[in-house]
Amino acid sequence: MNLSHAPLRLATGAFILNAGLGKRGLPDDAAAGLQGMATNGVPALGKLSPRAFGQTISTGEIALGAALLAPFVPSTVAGAGLAAFGGGLVQMYLNTPGMTQDGSRVRPSQDGTAIAKDIWLVGAGLTLLVSGLASRKSADRA
């Protein structure tokens, strides 16, 4: 792990790990609510039971948060996971009615602002991925 990646990985990793830990043992009705929105971005998630969805999202967030915090996980791997996770959240935002302003496909409504901000996860993930790939390429040339 590149030392310059540490602040970005620490901030995103701690945030996502905490979110995943908070979803452990999620009641079925709460999991069903999250699942309803998540299927707007990733329709295949609708095939899971609410309980399985809750366990899956919790485990996924815990694993991603831990990977970001673990210095032995390459930035390319952690960044790819973060970009994919953020991309799913952005897809959910773009495809959920009421999240964008009337007449706009992108500008968030008041309800959508909390989810639209997750675009930073995509940017952070891509930064780690590209930087990790560039570092690897430089090392290969040396």
Side-chain angles (χ1 to χ4, degrees):
M1 180 177 88
N2 185 323
L3 184 58
S4 68
H5 297 169
L8 183 60
R9 289 180 66 161
L10 179 63
T12 56
F15 187 89
I16 293 168
L17 177 61
N18 183 62
L21 291 171
K23 289 181 180 84
R24 285 184 305 173
L26 199 62
D28 287 351
D29 58 334
L34 283 176
Q35 184 179 22
M37 283 189 65
T39 57
N40 290 323
V42 183
L45 294 174
K47 295 179 180 181
L48 298 172
S49 70
R51 180 174 305 243
F53 172 79
Q55 291 171 342
T56 300
I57 195 71
S58 174
T59 301
E61 287 181 353
I62 290 169
L64 178 57
L68 285 159
L69 292 171
F72 57 83
V73 175
S75 290
T76 52
V77 173
L82 183 57
F85 177 70
L89 292 172
V90 170
Q91 276 297 108
M92 179 183 69
Y93 159 73
L94 293 173
N95 294 319
T96 300
M99 294 289 125
T100 57
Q101 292 181 13
D102 290 337
S104 174
R105 282 268 307 135
V106 179
R107 293 183 62 207
S109 65
Q110 187 166 358
D111 290 338
T113 300
I115 297 172
K117 60 141 181 65
D118 289 336
I119 191 70
W120 67 273
L121 295 172
V122 176
L126 291 175
T127 297
L128 290 171
L129 179 63
V130 170
S131 180
L133 290 172
S135 294
R136 184 181 300 163
K137 196 171 191 176
S138 293
D140 289 345
R141 279 188 263 162

